[in-house]
Amino acid sequence: MSSWRSLLLRIGDKCPDYGSSSDFKEHIETCFGVIRRELEHSSNDILSLQSTGERNLNRKVRKSWLQNPFDLLMDQCDALSNMNSVPNSNIYGFISGPESSVGLLNLENEDFVKEIVETAQANFQDALDFGNCDRIRILMRFLTVMMCSKVLQPSSLLVVFETLLSSAATTLDEEKGNPSWQARGDFYVSCILSCLPWGGSELIEQVPEEIESVMVGIEAYLSIRRHNSDTGLSFFEDDDESGSGVVEKDFLEDLWGRIQVLSSNGWKVDSVPRPHLSFEAQLVAGKSHQFGPINAPEQPEPLSEVSGVLYGKQKHDAELKYPQRIRRLNIFPASKTEDMQPIDCFVVEEYLLDVLLLLNGCRKECASFMVGLPVPFRYDYLMAETLFSQALPGAFPGVVAGAVRALFEKIADLDMECRTRLILWFSHHLSNFQFIWPWEEWAYVLDLPKWAPQRVFVQEVLEREVRLSYWDKVKQSIENAPALEELLPPKCSPNFIYSIEDGRERTEQHALSAELNNKVKGRQTAREIISWVEESVFPSHGWEVTLKVVVQTLLDIGSKSFTHLMTVLERYGQVIARICPDHDKQVMLIAEVSSYWKNNGQMTAIAIDRMMGYRLISNLAIVKWVFSPANIEQFHTSDRPWEVLRNAISKTYNRISDLRNEISSLKKSVVSAEEAATKVKAELDAAESKLSLVDGEPVLGDNPVKLKLLKANAEKATEEEVSVRDSLEAKEALLTRALDENEALFLSLYKNFSNVLMERLPDPSKARSLPELKSIQADEMAVDLEESSVMEVDNESGRPDKSQSNGGKASNIYNVGEKEQWCLSTLGYVKAFARQYASEIWAHIEKLDADVFTENVHPLFKKAFYSGLSRPINDVSSGHVVGGENAIKSFGKGGEVKALVDETKCEGGASTKSQARALCARKRKTREKDPI
């Protein structure tokens, strides 16, 4: 007979454990019988089990056969809550899906189920205290379905809702809360709303007045909160500049709208399995348990002053701790997406994201769950849009192809970071499918100007493919569109200027290079080579020749492989460091590396990255090189300079992160060392104060041998404590230095951005938004494609209706001038870097505001930067930027919301609810007039 674990994990699946049956009810009954027998034999051991640490579902699945039979259940109810979030295991009921299974178990053993409820309450309180968003959200869903199975009293669940709603309302109160932490209140309200598809119908049936009060309170909260603009997270650059004047709903507003539609439809949800209904006649006989009281975390300290910078920093911290789910990437036209209710879209999205969260690392299981959700409708297109960056090979190839084609049509408007990720993903995806793609559909990009985003996209994908394979293989893959060979990178041969194989004339520099080569092969030390350079090369030929000879020769020796390069830099990096001690010379060093590897962007990036790792090149030198005239001209046509810059910033950020982690570990070590030293000192003092007899005479002190050992231990413990403290001080000094370097890096980066953009951006009066910038025609387009630009996806693979299979011109017109495209691309990277490194940038925002983002800076530059930081903006084009002052005033008094929540709890509150709704309407009208 199958084990309880196997039955437990496979409820709802078609598997041998349940024979040929696929009926949920039979699965639950079979599994329940096995669990009940196990309980009879080991209930005492089960109840005595204690938590051994949080485990996610991935670990549960792999380790469950090694654990005590009910460790999954009692281990902080993680198994219950986590498995409930995975749709196929939603039936994890009585041990897996709370809906019916815990309810059935409740009929047999009320005390054990009461223990489950108490454990869930303790875990929920811990999750609230530590701000563990995933556990809060999943445990709330777990509580909701336990209420559906008559395990939990509806009133207890509503108390949880009201507690969180009251905390959210208080957060918006300027006096008692901190409006900059609205993200926490939004998260709590979104958790309440996300529970309603699972238990809304039961709550309306059993406690209609109470749930109506909660709904009124939520509506009041929404009327008072500030609209959360997520332009910094927009997939397409024009999302927030359409000019329609319509403020797009944020995630919470959108979810509230879906819940309202659900309510008007009688709370019918096709995507939520409801196995407890099969056992409803049995479950009503069980005892419903009370859920213990919970306490929301303390409110953040109110703002000490009305400051835009302080407000922005705290808002960023809150959003990091309580992140909002961003909008789904809308790739396909509405006519092609599946016909499903708005709430079903939300639930399926949650399914997919939960599967990714809980099965991260188990790719086969993850893919299996995602393509086999227990819903009665197709969701291929929704899955592609929700998880496109995690597309499953072979699971829905036609939809993936359609998604790629649709995104390619919109590539000009795609966010720069999204564009880069799409390039990396698509090239990797093709490498897993023998680089097969109908390139002839995109051959028309050769007729577009070199700066056209579609042409650049194809060029960058082919370049990344060469990195993942080899040049001839990629060339073969485009044989149906041979003209695209023009976009392939050059063959990856080094550009060694002292080579004699191509018949070049030998010069004195050739001789120097050959001599250095022989010295390296002869394993001379770095010190010997430095002496040779200082005595024989530099005095006679000057610094520039010395740099060329040394760098070109060492790179050529290390060009055979990455390992060779590492070895050369480890052994002879001191030679390079001696030649290039300052930033200006390091810039020329980087230029020389780029010249040597001009045919191989990958090796250029690797070599510069490794040199930075060995402290041969500073991040400031890299920034200066990236913004050199030769590279500036490539900003809109190549990813090469941006890749080097991304690596430099990432390495700087990683150094700081590593130092912070080491300091955190050392602080714990200091505490441990202090405790150990104190303990040993106490033992020594006790031994020294002890009276003992020596030769019949009383002597102060313990056995001399023992005392000697204790003194040695005390000295050792003290030395260890001092050593750990010294290490901590050293790391803190390094962190201080690293933070100073980081500040200098971002100042240099954005000063350079400002300088180059001020030279090229048009006057603010001519371009106050990206659409206006695009409309400026600086150059006449060389290509005028005749067909319409509207793409109609007419089949599952997404092949455009008007595409031509032989590389003919497709339905594309690109009429943005080169100068405007340069500005658009550069502004896109400004926003991308600000978004990716927002946490570090906020630490230096005062300095950046004072030195870079002054009144004279171009509004489009400031807007891109602020958008990346999600910093409040009103009208940047006029030079007026809204900081925390107006943002805070926009909230009004959060106490009004809390009062509404409290008032709606009173008995016979029909009139109160009407007044509350009227106040909500007034607040909403006020907010529509002044969306800030």
Side-chain angles (χ1 to χ4, degrees):
M1 183 177 179
S2 299
S3 69
W4 72 272
R5 299 177 183 85
S6 180
L7 293 171
L8 181 64
L9 295 171
R10 294 298 180 184
I11 290 181
D13 293 344
K14 293 181 180 179
C15 60
D17 301 275
Y18 289 103
S20 59
S21 173
S22 59
D23 182 70
F24 285 150
K25 184 176 181 180
E26 291 184 17
H27 288 197
I28 291 174
E29 290 173 340
T30 302
C31 189
F32 172 64
V34 176
I35 296 295
R36 180 171 54 183
R37 287 194 295 272
E38 290 289 339
L39 270 177
E40 292 174 357
H41 299 299
S42 54
S43 58
N44 292 334
D45 294 337
I46 297 166
L47 294 177
S48 65
L49 287 173
Q50 297 297 322
S51 170
T52 57
E54 184 173 330
R55 300 183 179 93
N56 59 24
L57 174 63
N58 178 16
R59 184 175 173 189
K60 293 294 186 187
V61 173
R62 289 183 290 161
K63 298 293 186 182
S64 60
W65 278 265
L66 302 178
Q67 297 171 348
N68 181 287
F70 291 92
D71 191 24
L72 292 176
L73 178 68
M74 298 302 297
D75 184 12
Q76 300 185 1
C77 284
D78 282 345
L80 287 167
S81 55
N82 286 351
M83 292 296 263
N84 176 55
S85 68
V86 179
N88 273 26
S89 298
N90 171 51
I91 315 300
Y92 193 61
F94 35 124
I95 302 264
S96 53
E99 297 199 5
S100 53
S101 310
V102 172
L104 292 177
L105 192 59
N106 190 38
L107 299 174
E108 301 286 335
N109 194 329
E110 290 182 0
D111 292 337
F112 183 74
V113 172
K114 182 180 179 182
E115 189 80 11
I116 294 176
V117 173
E118 291 174 352
T119 304
Q121 188 272 339
N123 291 331
F124 188 62
Q125 185 64 62
D126 288 343
L128 285 174
D129 293 340
F130 291 100
N132 190 327
C133 293
D134 288 320
R135 294 193 69 201
I136 293 171
R137 178 177 55 84
I138 292 173
L139 278 167
M140 284 187 68
R141 190 189 309 167
F142 173 57
L143 299 178
T144 303
V145 290
M146 282 209 299
M147 181 274 300
C148 294
S149 295
K150 316 298 182 186
V151 173
L152 200 66
Q153 292 184 5
S155 58
S156 294
L157 182 63
L158 286 172
V159 169
V160 174
F161 288 174
E162 291 167 352
T163 300
L164 296 182
L165 183 56
S166 177
S167 175
T170 304
T171 300
L172 301 188
D173 193 321
E174 296 174 20
E175 298 175 357
K176 298 180 181 179
N178 185 339
S180 64
W181 275 76
Q182 177 184 305
R184 186 169 79 173
D186 285 359
F187 171 73
Y188 287 164
V189 174
S190 69
C191 286
I192 297 171
L193 292 176
S194 65
C195 289
L196 297 181
W198 299 80
S201 60
E202 282 77 9
L203 290 171
I204 287 293
E205 179 183 346
Q206 300 177 45
V207 283
E209 287 291 325
E210 290 84 350
I211 188 61
E212 176 67 14
S213 298
V214 171
M215 298 292 280
V216 171
I218 292 175
E219 189 173 5
Y221 175 85
L222 290 170
S223 70
I224 243 11
R225 68 182 284 274
R226 182 168 179 260
H227 172 79
N228 189 10
S229 174
D230 58 354
T231 57
L233 301 173
S234 300
F235 295 106
F236 297 101
E237 294 291 356
D238 289 347
D239 282 354
D240 56 321
E241 301 185 22
S242 61
S244 63
V246 178
V247 179
E248 186 170 355
K249 293 180 179 180
D250 61 25
F251 171 74
L252 189 59
E253 294 164 349
D254 178 68
L255 178 56
W256 172 246
R258 293 171 191 254
I259 293 297
Q260 287 182 308
V261 173
L262 175 64
S263 175
S264 64
N265 291 339
W267 299 95
K268 295 178 181 178
V269 189
D270 294 333
S271 54
V272 175
R274 306 177 70 78
H276 65 279
L277 296 179
S278 300
F279 302 91
E280 193 166 16
Q282 300 165 253
L283 294 175
V284 293
K287 177 184 177 181
S288 295
H289 300 273
Q290 284 281 359
F291 192 72
I294 62 165
N295 298 307
E298 293 292 329
Q299 291 292 331
E301 289 294 325
L303 293 171
S304 57
E305 58 179 315
V306 181
S307 163
V309 171
L310 184 59
Y311 172 86
K313 285 182 177 181
Q314 293 203 13
K315 178 175 178 288
H316 175 71
D317 291 341
E319 290 173 347
L320 280 181
K321 190 168 184 179
Y322 298 95
Q324 173 182 297
R325 209 166 89 189
I326 60 176
R327 294 176 290 179
R328 188 177 78 248
L329 173 58
N330 294 314
I331 301 174
F332 301 103
S335 60
K336 294 301 296 182
T337 53
E338 295 84 5
D339 184 17
M340 62 180 78
Q341 295 299 317
I343 196 63
D344 287 318
C345 291
F346 168 78
V347 172
V348 171
E349 285 180 47
E350 279 223 317
Y351 281 164
L352 294 168
L353 297 176
D354 284 344
V355 169
L356 271 182
L357 169 70
L358 301 170
L359 285 172
N360 181 27
C362 295
R363 297 183 180 181
K364 290 184 179 179
E365 291 86 348
C366 184
S368 175
F369 274 114
M370 281 201 280
V371 300
L373 300 182
V375 293
F377 45 75
R378 285 188 58 182
Y379 56 93
D380 304 55
Y381 291 99
L382 177 61
M383 177 162 59
E385 290 183 337
T386 306
L387 308 169
F388 183 73
S389 62
Q390 302 290 333
L392 307 176
F396 48 109
V399 178
V400 169
V404 172
R405 289 186 174 97
L407 285 173
F408 182 72
E409 291 296 320
K410 304 176 182 179
I411 201 72
D413 296 323
L414 195 62
D415 176 87
M416 288 306 300
E417 184 179 356
C418 293
R419 195 183 305 181
T420 301
R421 292 188 179 195
L422 180 62
I423 290 169
L424 296 176
W425 169 83
F426 187 51
S427 57
H428 180 76
H429 176 75
L430 292 181
S431 72
N432 288 308
F433 290 90
Q434 301 178 0
F435 300 99
I436 296 174
W437 182 258
W439 290 107
E440 64 273 12
E441 294 179 7
W442 292 349
Y444 68 85
V445 299
L446 291 171
D447 298 326
L448 299 177
K450 65 178 182 178
W451 61 86
Q454 288 186 333
R455 178 180 174 128
V456 174
F457 176 82
V458 173
Q459 170 187 300
E460 292 298 325
V461 168
L462 292 175
E463 197 271 341
R464 291 285 174 171
E465 285 188 354
V466 171
R467 296 189 186 190
L468 297 169
S469 181
Y470 52 94
W471 194 90
D472 292 322
K473 173 67 175 177
V474 176
K475 180 187 176 184
Q476 182 183 0
S477 72
I478 59 173
E479 58 185 9
N480 291 335
L484 287 178
E485 184 179 340
E486 178 184 333
L487 299 183
L488 281 175
K491 283 202 171 182
C492 303
S493 57
N495 179 37
F496 184 42
I497 62 177
Y498 300 119
S499 173
I500 58 175
E501 294 179 358
D502 54 1
R504 295 180 185 176
E505 179 182 355
R506 290 180 63 89
T507 64
E508 190 173 355
Q509 293 179 25
H510 282 78
L512 291 173
S513 175
E515 185 177 353
L516 176 57
N517 195 0
N518 291 332
K519 288 179 178 293
V520 172
K521 290 182 178 179
R523 295 187 176 276
Q524 289 194 10
T525 64
R527 183 174 298 179
E528 291 173 328
I529 292 180
I530 289 173
S531 299
W532 172 75
V533 167
E534 292 177 342
E535 295 171 4
S536 305
V537 183
F538 180 73
S540 305
H541 302 278
W543 182 83
E544 290 189 12
V545 171
T546 301
L547 176 69
K548 284 183 178 293
V549 169
V550 172
V551 174
Q552 286 269 341
T553 305
L554 292 179
L555 286 176
D556 194 60
I557 294 171
S559 64
K560 292 182 180 179
S561 69
F562 177 72
T563 305
H564 281 77
L565 175 64
M566 293 283 291
T567 303
V568 168
L569 292 178
E570 285 176 0
R571 291 180 180 176
Y572 301 105
Q574 297 174 30
V575 180
I576 297 175
R578 191 64 169 263
I579 297 173
C580 304
D582 55 52
H583 294 324
D584 292 335
K585 292 180 179 178
Q586 289 171 9
V587 172
M588 297 187 69
L589 166 61
I590 299 171
E592 202 61 48
V593 172
S594 179
S595 173
Y596 179 85
W597 286 114
K598 70 176 185 179
N599 297 327
N600 192 328
Q602 182 181 24
M603 285 305 299
T604 300
I606 289 174
I608 294 173
D609 182 71
R610 288 295 85 207
M611 287 183 173
M612 182 179 171
Y614 288 118
R615 299 279 185 175
L616 306 179
I617 295 174
S618 69
N619 49 23
L620 294 178
I622 292 175
V623 170
K624 191 172 183 180
W625 174 79
V626 167
F627 286 91
S628 62
N631 286 322
I632 289 174
E633 298 304 320
Q634 301 180 53
F635 277 9
H636 59 317
T637 60
S638 173
D639 188 55
R640 190 166 182 164
W642 298 118
E643 181 182 7
V644 172
L645 182 59
R646 284 195 300 267
N647 291 346
I649 300 176
S650 177
K651 187 173 286 293
T652 304
Y653 173 78
N654 290 338
R655 283 176 180 169
I656 293 174
S657 297
D658 291 343
L659 284 170
R660 285 173 175 158
N661 292 334
E662 290 173 6
I663 288 173
S664 177
S665 178
L666 283 171
K667 285 181 177 178
K668 294 178 182 177
S669 299
V670 166
V671 174
S672 299
E674 287 177 346
E675 292 175 351
T678 302
K679 181 179 179 181
V680 173
K681 183 69 168 56
E683 292 177 353
L684 179 60
D685 292 342
E688 288 178 338
S689 62
K690 192 175 182 180
L691 286 173
S692 59
L693 293 177
V694 178
D695 297 332
E697 296 292 332
V699 177
L700 187 64
D702 207 337
N703 187 302
V705 176
K706 183 178 179 181
L707 277 175
K708 185 177 180 181
L709 179 61
L710 288 173
K711 287 179 180 178
N713 290 340
E715 292 175 359
K716 183 179 179 180
T718 303
E719 290 174 359
E720 289 179 355
E721 181 183 353
V722 171
S723 176
V724 173
R725 287 187 180 279
D726 290 344
S727 298
L728 178 60
E729 291 177 3
K731 292 295 182 183
E732 287 177 337
L734 288 174
L735 178 60
T736 301
R737 175 185 168 188
L739 291 174
D740 291 341
E741 291 177 354
N742 204 36
E743 180 181 286
L745 170 65
F746 284 115
L747 280 172
S748 174
L749 175 63
Y750 285 105
K751 280 181 180 178
N752 278 284
F753 268 129
S754 178
N755 292 337
V756 297
L757 284 166
M758 288 295 286
E759 293 174 2
R760 290 166 173 78
L761 281 170
D763 188 86
S765 62
K766 297 180 180 179
R768 290 171 295 180
S769 65
L770 294 184
E772 290 181 2
L773 178 60
K774 290 180 181 180
S775 66
I776 298 175
Q777 287 297 311
D779 300 302
E780 291 186 3
M781 297 302 298
V783 179
D784 184 14
L785 301 178
E786 300 174 355
E787 299 182 41
S788 170
S789 61
V790 177
M791 188 195 79
E792 298 179 3
V793 182
D794 62 352
N795 53 49
E796 187 165 287
S797 68
R799 187 182 299 275
D801 209 12
K802 302 176 182 179
S803 66
Q804 298 187 23
S805 60
N806 296 319
K809 292 181 181 180
S811 54
N812 254 303
I813 295 176
Y814 192 70
N815 55 3
V816 176
E818 181 173 11
K819 184 177 180 181
E820 288 71 38
Q821 184 58 52
W822 185 96
C823 294
L824 289 168
S825 298
T826 307
L827 287 171
Y829 282 109
V830 169
K831 177 180 174 181
F833 285 123
R835 177 174 53 218
Q836 188 172 0
Y837 299 101
S839 296
E840 300 302 319
I841 290 174
W842 274 112
H844 312 296
I845 196 66
E846 292 93 343
K847 188 72 172 175
L848 285 166
D849 282 347
D851 293 358
V852 181
F853 296 96
T854 60
E855 294 181 357
N856 298 326
V857 76
H858 198 287
L860 284 179
F861 173 45
K862 181 178 287 187
K863 185 171 185 178
F865 177 72
Y866 278 35
S867 180
L869 293 179
S870 295
R871 193 173 179 180
I873 300 177
N874 184 16
D875 186 8
V876 181
S877 60
S878 65
H880 175 63
V881 181
V882 176
E885 300 89 341
N886 290 348
I888 295 171
K889 292 176 184 177
S890 70
F891 283 99
K893 291 288 185 179
E896 295 176 5
V897 186
K898 188 173 185 303
L900 288 175
V901 176
D902 294 337
E903 286 174 8
T904 53
K905 297 178 185 178
C906 65
E907 296 182 5
S911 60
T912 303
K913 294 172 189 174
S914 300
Q915 295 169 5
R917 292 192 186 279
L919 177 58
C920 292
R922 291 197 300 273
K923 290 290 184 180
R924 186 174 291 107
K925 288 180 180 179
T926 302
R927 189 177 59 179
E928 288 172 354
K929 292 179 181 179
D930 183 14
I932 297 300

